[in-house]
């Protein structure tokens, strides 16, 4: 983002911290459901980032130039605009915010379901036999550590993508 992006550092740090904290809830015994494993909050955060990067682009370039920079990439032969213009518009205004929300939601929900599955298997084997519960329990411990890594990585990826989208709005492709 360069030196101009330093003014977005507090927002991006807050975004990372909030998402990471919401993701960690899935590892607390008794709670065991990450806040972002429900689709409403990831959609809200993605829409917030969407509004910010579009606002930054419109404020910096004006609405006409901002849309022109999105639709008409410099250096592309004019017949290609028939194909590229709709793709760029769909990407910028639909795909980017949708992918932010779905990526965060799906990864945390999948991790939660995996942890719950192995917890149920471990408990069932502990009740029925006193020996076979050890391997699933060891795997459950490993998966919990892996979920901690996933919680951090998803917060990091969401924040990096938000920074990339804001940068793309500030500095259009040339």
């Amino acid at each position: 983002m360069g030196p101009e992006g330093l003014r977005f550092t507090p927002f991006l740090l807050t975004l990372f911290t909030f998402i990471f904290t919401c993701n960690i809830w899935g590892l607390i015994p008794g709670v065991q459901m990450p806040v972002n494993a429900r689709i409403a909050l990831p959609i809200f955060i993605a829409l917030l980032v969407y509004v910010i990067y579009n606002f930054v682009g419109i404020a910096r370039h004006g609405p006409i130039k901002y849309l022109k920079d999105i639709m008409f990439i410099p250096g592309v032969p004019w017949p290609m605009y028939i194909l590229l213009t709709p793709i760029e518009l769909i990407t910028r205004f639909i795909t980017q915010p949708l992918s932010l929300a779905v990526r965060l939601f799906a990864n945390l929900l999948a991790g939660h379901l995996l942890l719950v599955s192995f917890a149920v298997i471990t408990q069932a084997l502990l009740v029925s036999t006193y020996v076979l519960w050890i391997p699933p329990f060891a795997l459950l411990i490993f998966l919990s550590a892996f979920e901690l890594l996933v919680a951090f990585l998803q917060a990091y990826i969401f924040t990096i993508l938000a920074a990339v989208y804001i940068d793309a709005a500030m500095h259009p492709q040339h």
Side-chain angles (χ1 to χ4, degrees), residues 6 8 12 18 22 25 29-30 46 50 56 60 68 72-73 79 91 122 132 143 146 149 152-154 166 171:
L6 287 177
F8 294 101
L12 294 172
F18 179 73
C22 288
W25 277 97
Y50 170 79
V56 166
R60 183 171 177 111
K68 183 179 164 260
F72 304 110
I73 301 168
T91 298
T122 302
L132 293 177
L143 287 174
F146 184 70
L149 175 67
F152 175 81
L153 283 176
Q154 288 305 312
I166 292 170
H171 307 106

Side-chain angles (χ1 to χ4, degrees), residues 22-165:
C22 288
N23 293 348
I24 291 299
W25 277 97
L27 296 173
I28 298 173
V31 178
Q32 300 219 316
M33 184 65 173
V35 178
N36 288 324
R38 295 171 183 91
I39 193 68
L41 189 60
I43 285 177
F44 174 76
I45 299 169
L47 287 176
L48 177 67
V49 170
Y50 170 79
V51 167
I52 288 174
Y53 75 73
N54 282 311
F55 178 78
V56 166
I58 291 171
R60 183 171 177 111
H61 303 289
I64 304 293
K65 183 165 181 350
Y66 179 63
L67 282 173
K68 183 179 164 260
D69 288 340
I70 292 171
M71 293 188 305
F72 304 110
I73 301 168
V76 175
W78 72 267
M80 289 298 293
Y81 287 135
I82 296 168
L83 180 64
L84 286 180
T85 298
I87 291 172
E88 288 297 320
L89 285 173
I90 290 170
T91 298
R92 183 66 64 102
F93 295 113
I94 297 173
T95 307
Q96 284 180 352
L98 184 66
S99 71
L100 277 176
V102 170
R103 180 183 299 111
L104 183 60
F105 162 71
N107 281 308
L108 291 170
L109 182 63
H112 169 71
L113 292 176
L114 200 59
L115 284 176
V116 167
S117 297
F118 276 95
V120 168
I121 290 170
T122 302
Q123 182 185 15
L125 289 174
L126 180 63
V127 170
S128 64
T129 177
Y130 294 107
V131 178
L132 293 177
W133 66 273
I134 295 171
F137 182 73
L139 190 57
L140 184 62
I141 298 297
F142 171 75
L143 287 174
S144 295
F146 184 70
E147 273 302 300
L148 180 63
L149 175 67
V150 168
F152 175 81
L153 283 176
Q154 288 305 312
Y156 177 74
I157 289 169
F158 195 101
T159 306
I160 289 296
L161 286 175
V164 166
Y165 296 160

